[in-house]
């Protein structure tokens, strides 16, 4: 499979085009990099829902003659098209269920624990035209003002670190969630940290945390694509 | 490896000897059953810490000339002694990290989500001599009276079900967490449900939940040891 110059990955961007922060779009970006596939990144704002129909959220991937959406579906598609160094096909089914489990945990537990730390930081980086929508929808979700959701940052960061215990224990004994090589579980988790990196200078992890060391390793592996985006030092 | 008639598994018991409800001891009980190893179950109460030294909690396994503790360590030991149908050795390392991740998630997320549903039920089934200790230690942990921890049961059950999302999504697509066969992740999660089954009639799962169906399957596999203990219908 080759990708045309016009393979496009639509990513959530803020006021600055190069500051991209959908954790799910980051997953697809890493999968494309892992597979050595060339693509163009298209900065998208919440106010541009018409441009990504029939999806109403990113990531959206325009590839060959198809429009694909949902990070899991897109990533599986790319993995099947370029099966060497597979991110999903493990030699045993325990590996496959581990990938699913960890990805869903990242979508739920990690997502929520990070959100309550960085929601205001994210709001502050949005394009002006997106701020109203974001505030209304998130405040409806939380039943609170954005500022209330994020207050007492040290406590929220401590809670995040506690929530990370399954990840921490696993990374004490394993180089990657995929064992000796990166698999989609690593990418799913990395996407969450890349979201935080893009819009917040808050330090989510302590330096001696096994997760900190893993994050350093995976950011280094994907440095060539990460450095083409705006973010804070971790 | 053969086990002597005097292989002993120390398990937390309530007022009734046959009502045993340490999720961690249940794990070891299932591993022993899985490996076809004969053992005697010894009902233990919190007030009997002297009997299980140097451990201060169950499970404790007295096997051959050794006293083993920590459910993970005991289970790994048994798995190495009887390596066929291994619960830990997967064909790929993604499997190994999946087992670790899911077990730690069960120890943290599942444990806490179940506790706030069934804590009073557990208290009510304790041996009289254990009640003071249990109340004091759990109230110190929670900073609340036991009755407060467990109030608004429907909300706590709903929260438990929501917390189970990573497990639910994984079991939609996989027969076992180990794929086509049971692995230690299945056993770690089952132990949590066997704790609840022993002391509470509260229905943690809805019938159409993939987790409900998985639980039925695994309880059936281990019926021969489960039926030798007192519990509620699920």
């Amino acid at each position: 499979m080759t990708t045309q110059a016009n393979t496009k990955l639509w990513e959530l961007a803020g006021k600055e085009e190069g500051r991209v922060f959908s954790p799910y779009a980051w997953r697809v970006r890493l999968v494309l990099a892992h597979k050595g596939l060339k693509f163009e990144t298209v900065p998208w704002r919440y106010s541009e829902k018409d441009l990504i129909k029939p999806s109403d959220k990113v990531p959206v991937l325009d590839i060959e003659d198809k429009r694909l959406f949902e990070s899991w579906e897109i990533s599986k598609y790319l993995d099947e098209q370029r099966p060497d160094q597979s991110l999903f096909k493990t030699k045993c089914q325990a590996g496959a269920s581990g990938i699913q489990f960890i990805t869903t945990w990242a979508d739920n537990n990690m997502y929520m624990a990070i959100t309550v730390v960085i929601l205001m930081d994210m709001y502050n980086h949005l394009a002006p035209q997106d701020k109203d929508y974001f505030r209304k929808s998130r405040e409806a979700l939380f039943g609170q003002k954005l500022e209330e959701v994020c207050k007492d940052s040290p406590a929220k960061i401590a809670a995040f670190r506690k929530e990370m215990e399954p990840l921490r224990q696993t990374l004490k004994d394993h180089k990657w969630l995929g064992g000796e090589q990166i698999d989609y579980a690593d990418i799913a988790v990395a996407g969450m940290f890349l979201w935080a990196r893009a819009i917040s200078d808050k330090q989510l992890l302590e330096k001696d945390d096994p997760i900190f060391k893993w994050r350093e390793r995976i950011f280094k592996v994907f440095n060539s694509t990460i450095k083409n985006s705006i973010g804070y030092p971790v």
Side-chain angles (χ1 to χ4, degrees), chain A:
Chain A
M1 176 204 203
T2 53
T3 41
Q4 308 282 353
N6 60 357
T7 293
K8 291 185 172 57
L9 173 64
W10 297 74
E11 300 187 85
L12 176 65
K15 194 170 28 193
E16 302 143 293
E17 270 194 10
R19 196 181 295 270
V20 286
F21 44 90
S22 155
Y24 306 103
W26 266 112
R27 289 173 182 179
V28 175
R29 186 157 160 158
L30 295 190
V31 173
L32 287 161
H34 180 83
K35 302 290 182 185
L37 294 167
K38 301 240 172 298
F39 63 99
E40 195 189 311
T41 166
V42 183
W44 173 83
R45 276 78 179 197
Y46 287 116
S47 52
E48 296 169 343
K49 289 209 196 302
D50 279 356
L51 299 184
I52 56 168
K53 285 178 173 178
S55 183
D56 62 350
K57 49 192 202 286
V58 291
V60 165
L61 189 70
D62 289 330
I63 184 162
E64 292 150 346
D65 57 346
K66 294 181 259 300
R67 168 160 278 190
L68 307 176
F69 40 97
E70 294 292 344
S71 57
W72 178 268
E73 299 303 329
I74 298 172
S75 301
K76 286 214 115 185
Y77 174 84
L78 294 172
D79 200 63
E80 271 149 39
Q81 296 297 311
R82 275 248 170 124
D84 39 291
Q85 290 206 294
S86 173
L87 295 162
F88 286 93
K89 282 190 178 29
T90 56
K91 291 194 187 69
C92 64
Q93 291 190 13
S97 68
I99 290 171
Q100 173 86 73
F101 192 99
I102 293 169
T103 299
T104 310
W105 171 86
D107 292 352
N108 289 270
N109 300 67
M110 210 176 163
Y111 179 82
M112 192 49 66
I114 290 179
T115 291
V116 298
V117 176
I118 56 117
L119 200 62
M120 275 310 297
D121 299 321
M122 186 168 166
Y123 176 81
N124 290 334
H125 280 295
L126 289 172
Q129 65 270 32
D130 283 354
K131 286 187 154 176
D132 267 0
Y133 161 78
F134 186 82
R135 187 178 271 281
K136 283 195 174 75
S137 59
R138 272 40 176 193
E139 289 181 351
L141 198 70
F142 281 97
Q144 284 181 310
K145 292 241 160 281
L146 298 182
E147 291 79 356
E148 281 296 299
V149 172
C150 291
K151 74 174 183 200
D152 195 1
S153 195
K156 300 270 164 54
I157 291 174
F160 167 79
R161 290 173 182 171
K162 189 167 191 279
E163 193 69 28
M164 293 304 100
E165 193 63 13
L167 187 62
R168 181 173 297 115
Q169 289 304 320
T170 306
L171 294 174
K172 269 187 185 169
D173 297 330
H174 301 273
K175 181 180 183 185
W176 302 113
L177 294 169
E180 281 304 305
Q181 64 234 4
I182 287 170
D183 72 9
Y184 190 74
D186 293 282
I187 285 182
V189 171
M192 291 289 158
F193 282 116
L194 286 162
W195 160 42
R197 168 206 170 262
I199 48 76
S200 178
D201 61 353
K202 293 187 174 66
Q203 293 302 303
L204 290 177
L205 300 170
E206 287 175 308
K207 284 181 163 45
D208 61 356
D209 193 328
I211 308 172
F212 186 102
K213 300 178 209 297
W214 166 91
R215 185 182 59 182
E216 264 185 338
R217 282 198 298 275
I218 200 164
F219 278 20
K220 188 172 177 183
V221 167
F222 289 104
N223 183 53
S224 58
T225 189
I226 295 171
K227 70 175 166 45
N228 294 336
S229 70
I230 305 171
Y232 290 91
V234 290

